[in-house]
Structures are given as C-alpha cells and as structure tokens.
C-alpha cells in the first residue's frame, strides 16, 4: 500500500511541476513532466488520466509548433475519433 501512495505523490508532484512549467511557457520542461505522468497513468491502466495527460502533451506540442506530435497525442487521448488524425 505504501508503494501506491508514493506513486500517487510522485505523480502529483510531476503534474504540479508540469503545470508550473507550462504556465511559464517552459514547454520542454512541461513535456518532460507530463510524459512522466502519462507513463504512470498508462502503467496504472487509468484511461481517464491517460487521456488527460495526452491532451496536456498535445497542447504543449501545439505551443511549440510541433503539430504532428500534438496530433499523435490527441489520437492517443481519443483513439476512436478519426477526425483528429486528419
């Protein structure tokens, strides 16, 4: 049980760091922290958290002008929505 609590604390800290970096337009740092969050969500098989962090990553990549990467993360967030792939 303690390992799970530590994992949640680490996830929350990474999320806070990502939000802080994104709010300061430090998108490379935000991406790094959001990726940690996304990987944790995928390991936990938490679909809603995976969607949330994939969309956060897409927004960061949009801000960085990397539309193809952004589209890939949008597709991960909404796999059944083919309009996001076009």
């Amino acid at each position: 049980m303690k390992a799970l609590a530590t994992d949640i604390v680490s996830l929350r800290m990474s999320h806070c760091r990502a939000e802080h970096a994104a709010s300061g337009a430090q998108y490379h740092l935000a991406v790094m922290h959001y990726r940690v969050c996304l990987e944790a969500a995928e390991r936990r098989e938490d679909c809603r958290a995976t969607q949330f962090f994939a969309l956060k990553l897409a927004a960061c990549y949009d801000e960085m002008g990397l539309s193809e990467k952004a589209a890939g993360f949008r597709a991960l967030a909404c796999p059944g929505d083919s309009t996001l792939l076009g």
Side-chain angles (χ1 to χ4, degrees):
M1 188 64 117
K2 184 173 172 137
L4 180 60
T6 303
D7 187 51
I8 290 170
V9 170
S10 296
L11 177 62
R12 293 183 95 183
M13 289 301 298
S14 290
H15 181 217
C16 288
R17 288 182 185 118
E19 290 288 307
H20 181 72
S23 71
Q26 297 175 322
Y27 298 111
H28 288 85
L29 284 174
V31 162
M32 180 183 72
H33 292 298
Y34 280 136
R35 281 188 174 262
V36 168
C37 295
L38 178 64
E39 290 168 3
E42 288 175 330
R43 278 192 309 275
R44 294 172 59 94
E45 298 179 1
D46 185 335
C47 294
R48 294 184 81 186
T50 298
Q51 290 175 329
F52 177 80
F53 291 120
L55 289 173
K56 289 290 195 173
L57 280 160
C60 286
Y61 281 122
D62 277 335
E63 289 293 331
M64 293 166 50
L66 300 169
S67 58
E68 286 185 32
K69 281 194 174 213
F73 283 102
R74 272 193 203 84
L76 176 63
C78 307
D81 188 356
S82 61
T83 61
L84 294 174
L85 300 176

